[in-house]
Amino acid sequence: KSLDEIERNKIGIVRQYKRIFAGKPFAIVDNYDWFKDMGYLQFLREVGKHVPMRQMLQREFVQARLGGEGKGISYAEFSYALIQGYDFLHLSRKHGTSLQVCGSDQWGNSIAGVELIRRITGQEAHVWSAPLVINKATGKKFGKTEDGAVWLDPALTSPTQFYQFWINCDDEGVEYYLKIYTLLHRAEIDDIAVKHRANPKYRHAQTRLAQEVTRIVHGDEDMQAAELVTKCLTGNMSIAEANDKVMAIMRTELPHVAVRVGDELANVLVSTGLAESKTVARRLLADNAIAINNQKTIKPLLEKSDFQNNRLLIRKGKAFKDSALVELA
């Protein structure tokens, strides 16, 4: 990445930290500040000579990458443990940091810092690692490299898309996610789980999960707007009741067209991208796969009664993401 891209990413990450940890005492530091003036020979002298090669080669991820089925490892990636280790050493010296928190996949890099601090300063340091979060329905980890990953940056995943990711979580894992991603007390989570198990179809647990996580990441106002958009898309609120903010979100995030009463529905499906052609559109209608305001329809033309406050939502199949906003011109 270019330096400009890195700088933009850093600004975005700082913004996220400040929102999520608002009101908490914390300091944000940038390891570029202590690495930018350090030369390669200085790094080898201050760090490299304290790290045994045997220790690095015995790390599980290194063994896996160097084994017969492994894809190999670059020198830069191999050296990353030294960089992360020095970060811990620097924070220990400058800020008295004695604990590093990491995911279990970063255990090797994190423990390198513990060893470096012990060898150079003789002081103790510790690592607290947590297992990677796994989607219990798919067996895949939650992570930025996975398909369908969500981002904290609203420019990459809007608050509405973020909310809908959580409300669509599987029944099997929702209680687990409530414990990890929300600040709810254990007793309240237990109550939510009991209600959810009694009537899973109402998705009570998923709704609370979506509310709590979206509130933490995007704030209460954006959470409420995302919730209203979702209620419209799921038929739990009439599109006629949508306020200006909800309508602005839908016009931005959904395919959006202006029509007249009497327009052919097949043309509307094509213009919104819900159908590739009029032939496909007519087949979808004949197969009862199209819903207007969450009511299935097979009629060919739009009627005045289809509109609520001069607008309607049209959906293909059962996927709420395959929805479009239609308004009277």
Side-chain angles (χ1 to χ4, degrees):
K1 291 184 181 294
S2 68
L3 291 178
D4 286 342
E5 288 178 301
I6 292 171
E7 187 61 31
R8 283 196 299 271
N9 289 342
K10 288 195 294 187
I11 291 170
I13 291 169
V14 169
R15 188 186 305 121
Q16 292 159 12
Y17 277 132
K18 286 183 175 180
R19 175 184 285 279
I20 292 172
F21 295 107
K24 306 294 183 183
F26 70 99
I28 296 175
V29 296
D30 183 350
N31 67 349
Y32 183 65
D33 291 337
W34 55 83
F35 272 119
K36 63 184 177 182
D37 296 323
M38 181 180 286
Y40 182 65
L41 294 179
Q42 181 187 354
F43 183 74
L44 290 179
R45 183 171 60 250
E46 294 190 14
V47 180
K49 73 176 184 179
H50 295 287
V51 182
M53 279 297 295
R54 176 178 294 182
Q55 183 185 85
M56 294 186 70
L57 289 170
Q58 286 176 342
R59 297 252 160 81
E60 186 177 336
F61 91 98
V62 174
Q63 291 287 321
R65 295 286 289 274
L66 294 178
E69 300 298 322
K71 60 180 181 180
I73 187 170
S74 69
Y75 177 74
E77 190 174 4
F78 181 71
S79 301
Y80 188 80
L82 301 184
I83 296 172
Q84 190 167 325
Y86 184 77
D87 286 342
F88 201 177
L89 173 64
H90 177 87
L91 294 173
S92 174
R93 285 169 165 170
K94 298 295 183 182
H95 300 278
T97 304
S98 61
L99 175 67
Q100 183 173 174
V101 178
C102 68
S104 58
D105 60 334
Q106 286 294 308
W107 168 258
N109 287 348
S110 299
I111 206 70
V114 172
E115 290 293 325
L116 198 59
I117 290 169
R118 181 182 62 80
R119 287 174 178 272
I120 294 177
T121 71
Q123 296 178 338
E124 276 194 358
H126 309 277
V127 174
W128 186 90
S129 70
L132 297 181
V133 181
I134 303 298
N135 183 319
K136 292 182 179 294
T138 65
K140 294 182 178 181
K141 69 176 181 178
F142 275 52
K144 63 183 181 181
T145 59
E146 299 297 324
D147 292 337
V150 288
W151 301 82
L152 302 183
D153 189 334
L156 299 174
T157 300
S158 73
T160 302
Q161 294 167 331
F162 189 83
Y163 182 94
Q164 290 178 2
F165 172 85
W166 297 105
I167 207 168
N168 287 320
C169 281
D170 56 285
D171 289 331
E172 186 180 0
V174 67
E175 184 178 347
Y176 174 57
Y177 307 144
L178 279 165
K179 294 174 183 176
I180 293 173
Y181 292 112
T182 78
L183 301 177
L184 297 175
H185 294 296
R186 177 62 182 267
E188 188 170 0
I189 292 174
D190 289 343
D191 288 343
I192 293 169
V194 169
K195 291 179 182 177
H196 176 72
R197 293 187 202 116
N199 290 289
K201 67 179 180 180
Y202 295 119
R203 304 186 74 73
H204 177 68
Q206 283 91 342
T207 300
R208 283 303 303 278
L209 175 66
Q211 290 170 340
E212 296 300 322
V213 183
T214 308
R215 182 182 288 113
I216 290 170
V217 174
H218 295 293
D220 199 59
E221 184 178 342
D222 280 343
M223 184 281 291
Q224 291 179 14
E227 185 171 39
L228 292 177
V229 171
T230 302
K231 284 183 175 180
C232 287
L233 292 174
T234 56
N236 292 316
M237 186 179 90
S238 167
I239 185 69
E241 302 175 61
N243 59 33
D244 290 344
K245 180 165 185 174
V246 170
M247 291 305 302
I249 291 172
M250 287 199 283
R251 290 184 186 114
T252 300
E253 299 192 19
L254 296 178
H256 170 225
V257 296
V259 300
R260 292 183 173 82
V261 172
D263 280 357
E264 190 174 352
L265 190 50
N267 286 332
V268 176
L269 291 169
V270 173
S271 61
T272 56
L274 296 182
E276 298 157 9
S277 66
K278 288 185 69 173
T279 300
V280 172
R282 293 189 182 110
R283 186 169 69 247
L284 290 169
L285 287 165
D287 291 343
N288 205 29
I290 299 299
I292 292 178
N293 296 327
N294 287 283
Q295 298 295 319
K296 291 294 183 68
T297 184
I298 59 172
K299 61 188 176 185
L301 305 177
L302 288 173
E303 301 173 0
K304 178 64 177 176
S305 59
D306 294 325
F307 294 86
Q308 301 174 359
N309 197 13
N310 295 326
R311 58 184 77 128
L312 64 82
L313 284 169
I314 189 169
R315 191 177 78 237
K316 176 179 67 174
K318 295 182 179 180
F320 298 121
K321 65 179 181 179
D322 292 328
S323 299
L325 174 66
V326 179
E327 297 186 88
L328 284 175

